[in-house]
Amino acid sequence: MYTQALNSETVVSTIDDEQKMTAFQARIDREEKIEPNDWMPAAYRKTLIRQISQHAHSEIVGMLPEGNWVTRAPSLKRKAALLAKIQDEGGHGLYLYCAAETLGVTREHLVDQLLSGKAKYSSIFNYPTLNWADVGVVGWLVDGAAIMNQIPLCRCSYGPYARAMIRVCKEESFHQRQGYELLLQMMKGSEDLKEMVQDAVNRMWWPSLMMFGPSDGVSEHSSNSMRWKIKRFTNDDLRQKFVDATVPQAKILGVTLPDPDLVFDEVSGNWKYGEPDWAEFKRVIAGHGVCNKQRLKDRISAHENGAWVREAALVYAEKQKSRMAQSAA
Ligand code: BYC
């Protein structure tokens, strides 16, 4: 009897779950936004926490390679623009951590995952910024790739993520243009400056293509994320869009892209490109890129040095609370 009772409960809950799943997918298919208090499958919640938190980590780790150049910017104008851009990235991290928190995970847990090396962040930030042209190339290629990936995320099925991405994309667009304009100026300069730009492009091109993730055949999360309309395009589709948009920009700039296989395909109307070095990609996301250790070390020290700010904010909030309670009494 006991077994029968258990079985019938299990059957009821399975049917119940199946009905909820069907209704959930129907809402997604009708392009309704899913909001924090709505029912959602555990796997949808999990993949969103994973993607949004990795995205948030990428924003704040992404402040580091450019932060390297603030004190060495060649003019006050460049320094002001670079500072504003880096501050924007910090803001993007905040919006995204807030969006992740609406899924029932704490900020402390997410930060702990980053600082303990358990969480991933974008592979691109494990490459060094060796000269001033890297600042321009990060804006042009890295923010350019980010925009290509993030514009469709403004239509993500999860409301808080989609809404956060609208502002992020507007700011990324300024970042991309400041980078490209910086490079255009450098390309009007001496041969040394032009070589510096070409060198930065040579080093950053392939890592920028890797930002879109592994190719579709091996992207483990893509099919669920596409079905749930978290992702609107596959990794390879976005990579192709990025290559198509960037090749003409490289021509205007006067640089070459370091890919001997790059050729325009009249039939598809796309630029065919060579195969990224996926072994390198795997090494970098496994923690063995040139800068992985340095980036984590810098994030840990920023977190430790910022402890007093968090403590002061908590004491201030307590004070405000007791003042409000006193005035209400
Ligand atoms: N780097 O099944 P897949 C910025 C991981 S910041 C590291 O295709 P998914 C900026 C992936 O997480 C830009 N890891 O996954 C900031 C998964 O591992 P787990 C950051 C990567 O999620 C400052 C595994 O590989 N943008 O713009 O469907 C200054 C299998 O991949 C990478 C975002 O985060 C990578 N490149 O697709 C300047 C955008 N690629 O979790 C600029 C939001 C893949 O199973 N994220 N992995 O351990 C996304 O759109 C998607 O998460 C991805 C990957 C396209 C990145």
Side-chain angles (χ1 to χ4, degrees):
M1 286 300 288
Y2 173 78
T3 315
Q4 269 179 358
L6 188 70
N7 283 348
S8 63
E9 267 173 30
T10 311
V11 170
V12 169
S13 103
T14 308
I15 293 170
D16 195 33
D17 277 358
E18 267 172 27
Q19 281 172 346
K20 282 182 182 163
M21 289 285 244
T22 310
F24 174 80
Q25 190 60 47
R27 289 190 64 194
I28 301 265
D29 295 342
R30 286 196 301 272
E31 297 288 335
E32 279 179 32
K33 288 278 178 264
I34 307 299
E35 297 297 339
N37 292 328
D38 295 348
W39 186 88
M40 61 185 83
Y44 176 83
R45 187 184 300 276
K46 191 173 164 203
T47 210
L48 277 172
I49 293 175
R50 181 186 63 76
Q51 177 167 327
I52 301 172
S53 62
Q54 287 177 4
H55 194 164
H57 300 327
S58 306
E59 297 285 354
I60 64 165
V61 176
M63 297 167 80
L64 298 169
E66 291 175 298
N68 234 354
W69 284 91
V70 172
T71 54
R72 289 174 286 173
S75 69
L76 183 61
K77 181 183 139 195
R78 293 291 175 205
K79 185 168 177 154
L82 183 59
L83 269 175
K85 176 187 190 302
I86 296 169
Q87 284 176 351
D88 284 352
E89 311 296 2
H92 298 172
L94 287 181
Y95 314 150
L96 289 162
Y97 282 122
C98 289
E101 282 176 300
T102 65
L103 290 153
V105 64
T106 65
R107 176 91 56 102
E108 288 74 16
H109 174 69
L110 298 177
V111 170
D112 182 60
Q113 282 190 318
L114 171 65
L115 300 184
S116 62
K118 285 186 202 136
K120 290 194 174 75
Y121 56 84
S122 184
S123 48
I124 189 73
F125 302 118
N126 293 309
Y127 292 84
T129 43
L130 301 178
N131 67 43
W132 173 251
D134 285 31
V135 170
V137 170
V138 167
W140 173 39
L141 296 181
V142 175
D143 286 278
I147 294 170
M148 198 54 89
N149 168 282
Q150 290 172 183
I151 295 264
L153 290 175
C154 298
R155 292 189 294 120
C156 162
S157 57
Y158 188 58
Y161 192 23
R163 290 189 287 274
M165 292 319 297
I166 293 170
R167 180 155 172 186
V168 170
C169 284
K170 284 185 184 158
E171 292 174 352
E172 296 290 16
S173 161
F174 149 67
H175 299 169
Q176 196 266 356
R177 279 177 286 162
Q178 71 81 34
Y180 193 62
E181 192 269 342
L182 184 163
L183 296 174
L184 283 170
Q185 287 302 322
M186 286 184 81
M187 291 302 287
K188 286 184 198 153
S190 65
E191 283 310 309
D192 282 353
L193 286 180
K194 289 179 192 167
E195 273 172 32
M196 214 185 260
V197 174
Q198 185 63 60
D199 170 56
V201 172
N202 292 347
R203 284 180 289 105
M204 292 286 185
W205 173 248
W206 290 108
S208 299
L209 293 193
M210 293 175 194
M211 285 178 71
F212 295 94
S215 52
D216 293 352
V218 289
S219 164
E220 55 184 302
H221 302 295
S222 276
S223 63
N224 273 340
S225 290
M226 297 284 287
R227 182 160 55 90
W228 288 327
K229 301 193 178 176
I230 295 172
K231 284 162 86 159
R232 298 280 176 159
F233 296 95
T234 68
N235 298 356
D236 285 335
D237 283 348
L238 287 175
R239 199 174 356 256
Q240 183 65 62
K241 280 173 180 284
F242 174 71
V243 173
D244 290 343
T246 310
V247 172
Q249 293 168 359
K251 285 216 168 97
I252 294 169
L253 195 57
V255 292
T256 56
L257 296 171
D259 179 356
D261 296 329
L262 200 59
V263 58
F264 188 71
D265 177 39
E266 297 286 347
V267 180
S268 64
N270 294 323
W271 284 89
K272 298 273 172 214
Y273 57 92
E275 195 66 18
D277 181 347
W278 294 118
E280 176 181 313
F281 173 73
K282 280 189 194 152
R283 267 198 314 276
V284 174
I285 66 171
H288 308 299
V290 181
C291 297
N292 295 62
K293 287 197 176 66
Q294 185 64 44
R295 300 295 184 233
L296 268 195
K297 191 167 158 262
D298 289 347
R299 274 312 320 160
I300 291 168
S301 94
H303 189 72
E304 285 170 357
N305 293 335
W308 69 272
V309 179
R310 294 188 295 279
E311 280 162 24
L314 282 176
V315 172
Y316 181 73
E318 278 304 316
K319 261 192 195 165
Q320 291 289 94
K321 216 164 98 186
S322 67
R323 271 191 204 136
M324 296 249 288
Q326 271 169 16
S327 67

